[in-house]
């Protein structure tokens, strides 16, 4: 794949990922990951101190499916939309089979019938597997600057 | 007779009953009441959690904390002691430390006019104290000993650090009493601690609503569908309520995990669902770690600390009021310094249950905001606490089908606040 084609492929992956969240089609969200994967959402303040703890941590796609099941069937929360705006996507390096990529994002939350508010801003540091039918994240580490989250972080980012 | 749903005037601020089976809803929104809480509870003779000693390992290490609305700094001094100092320069009131934690050497220096303090808060250096080329300077009667950072009273329990603004606060062990001490020292056992991370949330509700939530086993089995579905907690499981027998205001719920096939008492739980199976169940698979069989211990210490052991997940929650209408929930996740990699990973997995995305705690933080909205608009109303009677003390069997711990909190709160 040429560098230009790879750039388009990766941009599309991030766009489709954001759309799944914004369109409230969370059932599609685990499909953006490989079966064995790492997904971690962590505050920048923890990460910079060398701490690994964050709001969400999953070690495989099964864990992501569990989260969607919980969001849909177990958690009690006010209905909401998430507007996940991703930009500044870059392929840091690639060997053809995988690509290390990163992005910046802001996530706005709108509780149904209410105002929109900034939920968090941050960056993601990712690894994308390119050798399957479709590119998928084998690792996605979402590092957010917003140390004090307004309310709860229910939808994935 | 005034409409009981209308806002009430100052004179009418009276407790509606002579017991704590009712709580007037103005306690969650009234400005004067909030100011009184700051003065009497947060800056009064009570102990407040500020951190864990391993956060300030070596001399000069400091960590910011908040008591009420005031910023304080927990700092390790040259002699190895831990001091808690008001983070407000004795010169003009500026915050001395801005970073959440750090080490700037043997002094704390205010960035504004560079007044510097030793690690016990004593004023050490004042620029231009003698003036510049004979001009200016401080008078001969300026005594640096009178201008240190305000020092709080400090108590430590096996690494947990507490502080109080009031020098007349009782000794910590007397403050929480022997029963609470016994449970606190399960987690703070003397084993060296390690911080695994922090989480912070800002919630739109009064700070007391969160303490009530944690003192309320009634909701646990009704609201927390996730918890119920996977057999982590059920109202019929073996559990005890313990309350400090002098104040009623400190409390522990301790329960022993049920076997997954013991499913009873679910008929009245509208939200009960049992058809979920985790694809990755590792976050709910514990290993024995404590010398007893307690799988969940939730301790609340008056006014605003929660110590929780949820199988192998150890968390502290400290509530910081942000005016009457919102609060910060500050989580500290703990492990022990000698945890092996498996245990550390297990604690990280289990952290999915709590915090801002926690499978259990999301429900609570959302309900906080529903409660906040409901009580703010109806200060003339009152909340009804009659599950298991009206007494602020646990029943003889000390079972968990009770609101006695919430009543205990308000029984003490009324005393402290002078509402009789
Ligand atoms: Fe709860």
């Amino acid at each position: 794949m040429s560098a230009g084609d790879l750039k388009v492929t990766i941009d599309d992956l991030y766009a489709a990922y954001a759309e799944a969240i914004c369109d409230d089609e969370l059932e599609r969200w685990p499909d953006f990951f490989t079966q064995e994967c790492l997904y971690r959402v962590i505050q920048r303040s923890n990460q910079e101190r060398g701490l690994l703890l964050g709001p969400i941590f999953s070690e495989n796609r099964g864990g992501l499916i569990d989260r969607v099941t919980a969001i849909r069937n177990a958690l009690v929360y006010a209905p909401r939309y998430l507007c996940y705006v991703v930009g500044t996507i870059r392929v840091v390096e690639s060997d053809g089979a995988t690509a290390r990529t990163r992005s910046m994002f802001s996530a706005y939350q709108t509780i149904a019938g209410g105002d929109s508010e900034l939920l968090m801003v941050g960056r993601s540091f990712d690894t994308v597997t390119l050798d399957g039918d479709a590119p998928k994240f084998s690792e996605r580490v979402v590092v957010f600057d917003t140390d004090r989250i307004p309310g709860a972080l229910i939808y994935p980012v | 007779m005034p409409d009981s749903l209308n806002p009430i005037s100052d004179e009418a601020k009276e407790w509606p009953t002579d017991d704590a089976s009712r709580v007037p809803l103005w306690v969650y929104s009234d400005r004067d009441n909030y100011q009184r809480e700051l003065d009497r509870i947060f800056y009064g003779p009570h102990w407040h959690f500020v951190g864990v000693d391993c956060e300030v390992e070596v001399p000069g290490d400091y960590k910011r904390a908040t008591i009420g609305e005031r910023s304080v700094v927990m700092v390790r001094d040259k002699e190895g002691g831990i001091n808690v100092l008001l983070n407000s320069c004795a010169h003009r009131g500026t915050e001395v430390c801005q970073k959440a934690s750090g080490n700037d050497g043997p002094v704390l220096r205010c960035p504004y006019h560079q007044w510097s303090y030793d690690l016990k808060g004593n004023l050490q250096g004042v620029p231009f104290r003698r003036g510049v080329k004979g001009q200016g300077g401080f008078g001969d009667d300026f005594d640096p000993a009178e201008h240190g950072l305000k020092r709080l009273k400090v108590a430590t329990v096996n690494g947990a650090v507490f502080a109080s603004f009031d020098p007349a606060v009782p000794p910590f062990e007397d403050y929480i009493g022997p029963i609470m001490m016994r449970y606190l020292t399960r987690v703070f056992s003397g084993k060296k601690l390690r911080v695994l991370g922090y989480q912070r949330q800002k919630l739109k509700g009064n700070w007391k609503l969160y303490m009530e939530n944690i003192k309320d086993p009634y909701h646990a089995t009704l609201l927390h569908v996730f918890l119920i579905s996977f057999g982590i907690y059920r109202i019929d499981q073996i559990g005890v309520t313990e309350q400090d027998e002098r104040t009623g205001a400190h409390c522990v719920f301790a329960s022993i995990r049920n076997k997954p096939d013991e499913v009873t008492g679910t008929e009245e739980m509208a939200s009960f669902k049992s058809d979920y199976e985790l694809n990755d169940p590792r976050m709910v698979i514990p290993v024995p770690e404590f010398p007893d069989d307690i799988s969940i211990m939730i301790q609340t210490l008056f006014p605003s600390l929660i110590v929780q052991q949820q199988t192998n997940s150890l968390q502290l929650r400290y509530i910081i009021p942000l005016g009457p209408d919102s609060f910060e929930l500050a989580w500290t996740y703990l492990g022990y310094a000698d945890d092996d990699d498996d245990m550390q990973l297990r604690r990280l997995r289990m952290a999915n249950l709590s915090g801002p995305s926690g499978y259990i705690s999301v429900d609570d933080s959302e309900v906080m905001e529903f409660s906040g909205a409901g009580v703010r608009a109806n200060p003339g109303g009152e909340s009804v606490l009659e599950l298991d009677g009206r007494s602020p003390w646990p029943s003889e069997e000390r079972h968990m089908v009770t609101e006695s711990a919430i009543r205990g909190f308000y029984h003490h709160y009324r005393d402290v606040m002078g509402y009789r």
Side-chain angles (χ1 to χ4, degrees), chain B residues 294-312:
Chain B
I294 296 172
S295 65
I296 300 179
M297 177 198 86
I298 305 176
Q299 181 170 43
T300 46
L301 297 181
F302 189 88
S304 54
L305 176 67
I306 299 144
V307 181
Q308 176 158 308
Q309 171 234 335
Q310 196 166 30
T311 63
N312 303 112

Side-chain angles (χ1 to χ4, degrees), chain B residues 183-332:
Chain B
Y183 284 98
L184 182 65
T185 52
R186 286 179 76 251
V187 173
F188 293 95
S189 61
K191 273 175 78 176
K192 193 165 166 41
L193 296 155
R194 176 200 298 191
V195 171
L196 301 181
Y198 305 91
Q199 309 261 26
R200 298 170 69 203
Q201 293 173 266
K202 182 180 178 180
L203 299 173
K204 295 196 241 19
N206 182 269
W207 68 274
K208 297 186 294 300
L209 292 169
Y210 200 82
M211 287 307 276
E212 289 178 27
N213 175 268
I214 306 303
K215 289 172 178 286
D216 170 18
Y218 191 7
H219 86 280
T221 188
L222 299 165
L223 175 68
H224 297 307
V225 178
F226 184 88
L227 203 53
I228 302 153
S229 309
F230 299 99
I232 303 165
Y233 171 79
R234 329 185 61 86
I235 203 157
D236 58 317
Q237 77 184 33
I238 307 158
V240 294
T241 302
E242 303 258 31
Q243 284 173 247
D244 170 41
E245 72 266 1
R246 303 145 320 154
T247 62
H250 315 299
C251 163
V252 162
F253 299 113
S255 55
I256 293 165
R257 190 185 174 120
N258 284 32
K259 306 245 170 7
D261 53 339
E262 293 172 21
V263 181
T264 58
T266 52
E267 303 78 26
E268 290 181 54
M269 302 174 205
S271 49
F272 181 75
K273 297 187 178 105
S274 60
D275 45 353
Y276 303 123
E277 208 171 296
L278 288 170
N279 287 286
D280 187 353
R282 288 175 294 181
M283 70 177 164
V284 294
I285 299 175
V287 296
E289 178 176 9
F290 293 90
D292 51 36
D293 289 329
I294 296 172
S295 65
I296 300 179
M297 177 198 86
I298 305 176
Q299 181 170 43
T300 46
L301 297 181
F302 189 88
S304 54
L305 176 67
I306 299 144
V307 181
Q308 176 158 308
Q309 171 234 335
Q310 196 166 30
T311 63
N312 303 112
S313 181
L314 311 176
Q315 321 120 30
L316 305 173
R317 274 172 274 183
Y318 181 68
I319 300 171
I320 301 167
L322 303 167
D325 299 336
S326 69
F327 65 91
E328 174 177 332
L329 186 58
W331 302 73
T332 304

Side-chain angles (χ1 to χ4, degrees), chain A residues 49 147, chain B residues 62-66 71-74 86-89 93-104 107-115 117 149 200:
Chain A
R49 279 186 258 210
D147 216 36
Chain B
Y62 65 82
K63 186 211 147 186
R64 279 176 60 136
T66 307
S71 172
V72 298
V73 181
M74 170 174 76
L86 183 65
N87 190 15
S88 176
C89 186
T94 309
E95 284 192 350
V96 175
C97 298
Q98 283 76 46
K99 283 187 290 182
S101 62
N103 187 325
D104 302 331
V107 294
L108 300 172
R109 183 177 283 115
C110 178
Y112 198 178
H113 303 88
Q114 302 193 4
W115 281 32
Y117 303 88
L149 295 177
R200 298 170 69 203

Side-chain angles (χ1 to χ4, degrees), chain B residues 56-62 75-80 103 105-106 119:
Chain B
V56 288
E57 204 83 75
V58 300
D61 279 1
Y62 65 82
V75 58
R76 178 82 71 172
D77 64 33
K78 278 194 309 216
E79 289 73 31
N103 187 325
L119 302 175

